[in-house]
Coordinates of all heavy atoms in Angstrom, one line a residue:
N217 N 10.7 -55.7 44.6 CA 10.0 -55.4 45.9 C 9.3 -54.1 45.9 O 8.3 -54.0 46.6 CB 11.1 -55.4 47.0 CG 11.7 -56.7 47.3 OD1 11.1 -57.7 47.0 ND2 12.8 -56.8 48.0
M218 N 9.8 -53.2 45.1 CA 9.2 -51.9 45.1 C 8.0 -51.8 44.1 O 7.2 -51.0 44.1 CB 10.2 -50.8 44.6 CG 11.2 -50.5 45.6 SD 12.5 -49.4 44.9 CE 11.5 -48.0 44.4
K219 N 7.9 -52.8 43.2 CA 6.9 -52.8 42.1 C 5.5 -52.7 42.7 O 5.2 -53.5 43.5 CB 7.1 -54.0 41.2 CG 6.6 -53.8 39.8 CD 7.0 -55.0 39.0 CE 6.5 -54.8 37.5 NZ 7.0 -53.6 36.9
G220 N 4.8 -51.7 42.1 CA 3.4 -51.6 42.6 C 3.3 -50.8 43.9 O 2.2 -50.2 44.2
A221 N 4.4 -50.7 44.6 CA 4.3 -50.0 45.9 C 4.5 -48.5 45.7 O 4.2 -47.7 46.6 CB 5.4 -50.5 46.8
N222 N 5.0 -48.1 44.5 CA 5.3 -46.7 44.3 C 4.9 -46.3 42.9 O 5.5 -46.7 42.0 CB 6.8 -46.6 44.5 CG 7.3 -45.1 44.2 OD1 6.5 -44.2 44.1 ND2 8.6 -45.0 44.1
D223 N 3.9 -45.4 42.9 CA 3.4 -45.0 41.6 C 3.8 -43.6 41.2 O 3.3 -43.0 40.2 CB 1.8 -45.2 41.5 CG 1.1 -44.2 42.5 OD1 1.9 -43.6 43.3 OD2 -0.1 -44.2 42.5
S224 N 4.8 -43.1 41.9 CA 5.3 -41.7 41.5 C 6.8 -41.7 41.4 O 7.4 -40.7 41.6 CB 4.8 -40.7 42.6 OG 5.3 -41.0 43.8
L225 N 7.4 -42.8 41.0 CA 8.8 -42.9 40.8 C 9.3 -42.2 39.6 O 8.8 -42.3 38.5 CB 9.2 -44.4 40.7 CG 10.7 -44.7 40.6 CD1 11.5 -44.3 41.8 CD2 10.9 -46.2 40.2
V226 N 10.4 -41.4 39.8 CA 11.1 -40.7 38.7 C 12.4 -41.4 38.6 O 13.2 -41.4 39.5 CB 11.3 -39.2 39.0 CG1 12.0 -38.5 37.8 CG2 9.9 -38.5 39.2
V227 N 12.7 -42.0 37.4 CA 14.0 -42.6 37.1 C 14.8 -41.6 36.2 O 14.3 -41.2 35.2 CB 13.8 -44.0 36.4 CG1 15.2 -44.5 36.0 CG2 13.1 -44.9 37.3
C228 N 16.0 -41.3 36.7 CA 16.8 -40.3 36.0 C 18.0 -41.1 35.4 O 18.7 -41.8 36.1 CB 17.3 -39.3 37.0 SG 16.0 -38.3 37.7
F229 N 18.2 -40.9 34.1 CA 19.2 -41.7 33.4 C 20.4 -40.8 32.9 O 20.1 -39.7 32.4 CB 18.6 -42.3 32.2 CG 19.5 -43.1 31.2 CD1 19.6 -44.5 31.4 CD2 20.2 -42.4 30.3 CE1 20.4 -45.2 30.5 CE2 21.0 -43.1 29.4 CZ 21.2 -44.5 29.5
G230 N 21.6 -41.3 33.0 CA 22.7 -40.5 32.4 C 24.0 -40.5 33.3 O 24.4 -41.5 33.9
E231 N 24.6 -39.3 33.3 CA 25.9 -39.2 33.9 C 25.9 -38.7 35.4 O 25.0 -37.9 35.7 CB 26.8 -38.2 33.1 CG 26.4 -36.7 33.2 CD 25.2 -36.3 32.3 OE1 24.6 -37.2 31.6 OE2 24.9 -35.1 32.3
M232 N 26.8 -39.2 36.1 CA 27.1 -38.7 37.5 C 28.6 -38.6 37.6 O 29.3 -39.5 37.1 CB 26.5 -39.6 38.6 CG 26.7 -39.0 39.9 SD 25.9 -40.1 41.2 CE 25.9 -38.9 42.6
L233 N 29.1 -37.5 38.1 CA 30.5 -37.2 38.1 C 31.0 -36.4 39.3 O 30.1 -36.1 40.1 CB 30.9 -36.5 36.8 CG 30.1 -35.3 36.5 CD1 31.0 -34.0 36.6 CD2 29.4 -35.4 35.1
I234 N 32.3 -36.2 39.4 CA 32.8 -35.3 40.4 C 33.1 -34.0 39.8 O 33.8 -33.8 38.8 CB 34.1 -35.9 41.0 CG1 34.0 -37.3 41.5 CG2 34.7 -35.0 42.1 CD1 33.3 -37.5 42.8
D235 N 32.5 -32.9 40.4 CA 32.8 -31.5 40.1 C 34.0 -31.1 41.0 O 33.9 -31.3 42.2 CB 31.6 -30.6 40.3 CG 30.6 -30.7 39.2 OD1 30.9 -31.2 38.1 OD2 29.4 -30.4 39.5
F236 N 35.0 -30.5 40.4 CA 36.0 -29.8 41.2 C 35.8 -28.3 41.1 O 36.0 -27.8 40.0 CB 37.4 -30.3 40.8 CG 37.8 -31.6 41.2 CD1 37.6 -32.8 40.4 CD2 38.4 -31.9 42.5 CE1 37.9 -34.0 40.9 CE2 38.7 -33.1 42.9 CZ 38.4 -34.2 42.1
V237 N 35.4 -27.7 42.2 CA 35.0 -26.3 42.2 C 36.1 -25.5 42.9 O 36.5 -25.9 44.0 CB 33.7 -26.2 42.9 CG1 33.2 -24.7 42.8 CG2 32.6 -27.1 42.3
P238 N 36.6 -24.4 42.3 CA 37.6 -23.5 43.1 C 37.0 -23.1 44.4 O 35.8 -22.8 44.5 CB 37.7 -22.3 42.1 CG 37.4 -22.9 40.8 CD 36.3 -23.9 41.0
T239 N 37.9 -23.0 45.4 CA 37.5 -22.5 46.7 C 37.3 -21.0 46.7 O 36.7 -20.5 47.7 CB 38.6 -22.9 47.7 OG1 39.8 -22.4 47.3 CG2 38.6 -24.4 47.9
V240 N 37.7 -20.3 45.6 CA 37.6 -18.9 45.5 C 36.8 -18.6 44.3 O 37.1 -19.1 43.2 CB 39.0 -18.2 45.4 CG1 38.8 -16.7 45.2 CG2 39.8 -18.5 46.6
A241 N 35.8 -17.7 44.4 CA 35.0 -17.4 43.2 C 35.6 -16.4 42.4 O 36.5 -15.6 42.8 CB 33.6 -16.9 43.7
G242 N 35.3 -16.3 41.1 CA 35.7 -15.3 40.2 C 37.1 -15.4 39.7 O 37.7 -14.5 39.2
V243 N 37.7 -16.6 39.7 CA 39.0 -16.9 39.2 C 39.0 -17.9 38.1 O 38.1 -18.7 38.0 CB 40.0 -17.3 40.3 CG1 40.1 -16.2 41.4 CG2 39.6 -18.6 40.9
S244 N 40.0 -17.9 37.3 CA 40.2 -19.0 36.2 C 40.7 -20.2 36.9 O 41.1 -20.2 38.0 CB 41.2 -18.5 35.2 OG 42.5 -18.5 35.7
L245 N 40.6 -21.4 36.1 CA 41.1 -22.6 36.7 C 42.6 -22.5 37.1 O 43.0 -23.0 38.1 CB 40.9 -23.7 35.7 CG 39.5 -24.2 35.4 CD1 39.5 -25.3 34.3 CD2 38.9 -24.9 36.7
A246 N 43.3 -21.8 36.2 CA 44.8 -21.7 36.5 C 45.1 -20.9 37.7 O 46.1 -21.1 38.4 CB 45.5 -21.1 35.3
E247 N 44.2 -19.9 38.0 CA 44.4 -19.0 39.1 C 43.9 -19.6 40.5 O 44.2 -19.1 41.5 CB 43.7 -17.7 38.9 CG 44.3 -16.9 37.8 CD 43.3 -15.7 37.3 OE1 42.1 -15.8 37.6 OE2 43.8 -14.7 36.8
A248 N 43.0 -20.6 40.4 CA 42.4 -21.2 41.6 C 43.5 -21.7 42.5 O 44.3 -22.5 42.2 CB 41.4 -22.3 41.2
P249 N 43.4 -21.3 43.8 CA 44.4 -21.8 44.8 C 44.2 -23.2 45.2 O 45.1 -23.9 45.6 CB 44.3 -20.8 45.9 CG 42.8 -20.3 45.8 CD 42.5 -20.3 44.4
A250 N 42.9 -23.6 45.1 CA 42.5 -25.0 45.6 C 41.2 -25.3 45.0 O 40.4 -24.4 44.6 CB 42.6 -25.1 47.1
F251 N 40.8 -26.6 45.0 CA 39.5 -27.0 44.6 C 38.8 -27.9 45.6 O 39.5 -28.7 46.3 CB 39.7 -27.9 43.3 CG 40.2 -27.1 42.1 CD1 41.5 -27.0 41.9 CD2 39.3 -26.5 41.2 CE1 42.0 -26.3 40.8 CE2 39.8 -25.7 40.2 CZ 41.2 -25.7 39.9
K252 N 37.5 -27.8 45.7 CA 36.7 -28.6 46.6 C 35.9 -29.6 45.7 O 35.4 -29.2 44.7 CB 35.8 -27.7 47.4 CG 34.9 -28.5 48.3 CD 33.9 -27.5 49.0 CE 33.0 -28.3 49.9 NZ 32.0 -27.4 50.5
K253 N 36.0 -30.9 46.0 CA 35.2 -31.9 45.2 C 33.8 -31.9 45.6 O 33.4 -31.8 46.8 CB 35.9 -33.2 45.3 CG 35.7 -34.0 46.5 CD 36.3 -35.4 46.4 CE 36.0 -36.3 47.6 NZ 36.5 -35.8 48.9
A254 N 32.9 -32.0 44.6 CA 31.5 -32.1 44.9 C 30.8 -33.0 43.9 O 31.2 -33.1 42.7 CB 30.8 -30.7 44.7
P255 N 29.8 -33.8 44.3 CA 29.1 -34.7 43.4 C 28.3 -33.9 42.4 O 27.8 -32.9 42.7 CB 28.2 -35.6 44.3 CG 28.1 -34.7 45.5 CD 29.3 -33.9 45.7
G256 N 28.3 -34.3 41.1 CA 27.5 -33.6 40.1 C 27.0 -34.5 39.0 O 27.1 -35.7 39.1
G257 N 26.6 -33.9 37.9 CA 26.0 -34.6 36.8 C 24.5 -34.4 36.8 O 23.8 -34.7 37.8
A258 N 24.0 -33.7 35.7 CA 22.6 -33.2 35.8 C 21.6 -34.3 36.2 O 20.7 -34.0 37.0 CB 22.3 -32.6 34.4
P259 N 21.6 -35.5 35.5 CA 20.5 -36.5 35.9 C 20.6 -36.9 37.4 O 19.5 -37.1 38.0 CB 20.8 -37.6 35.0 CG 21.6 -37.1 33.8 CD 22.4 -36.0 34.4
A260 N 21.8 -37.0 37.9 CA 22.0 -37.4 39.3 C 21.5 -36.3 40.2 O 20.8 -36.5 41.2 CB 23.4 -37.8 39.6
N261 N 21.8 -35.0 39.8 CA 21.3 -33.9 40.6 C 19.8 -33.9 40.7 O 19.2 -33.6 41.7 CB 21.8 -32.6 39.9 CG 23.3 -32.4 40.0 OD1 24.0 -33.0 40.8 ND2 23.8 -31.4 39.2
V262 N 19.2 -34.1 39.5 CA 17.7 -34.1 39.5 C 17.2 -35.2 40.4 O 16.2 -35.0 41.2 CB 17.2 -34.3 38.1 CG1 15.7 -34.5 38.1 CG2 17.5 -33.1 37.2
A263 N 17.8 -36.4 40.4 CA 17.3 -37.5 41.2 C 17.4 -37.1 42.7 O 16.5 -37.4 43.5 CB 18.1 -38.8 40.9
V264 N 18.5 -36.5 43.1 CA 18.7 -36.1 44.5 C 17.7 -35.0 44.8 O 17.1 -35.0 45.9 CB 20.2 -35.7 44.8 CG1 20.3 -35.1 46.2 CG2 21.1 -36.9 44.6

Side-chain angles (χ1 to χ4, degrees):
N217 288 342
M218 289 172 60
K219 203 167 181 65
N222 176 10
D223 62 357
S224 61
L225 179 68
V226 181
V227 175
C228 301
F229 177 97
E231 71 281 0
M232 188 177 192
L233 53 113
I234 305 280
D235 286 334
F236 284 92
V237 185
T239 53
V240 178
V243 297
S244 69
L245 287 175
E247 294 166 335
F251 295 89
K252 181 183 175 185
K253 73 178 189 298
N261 292 344
V262 171
V264 173

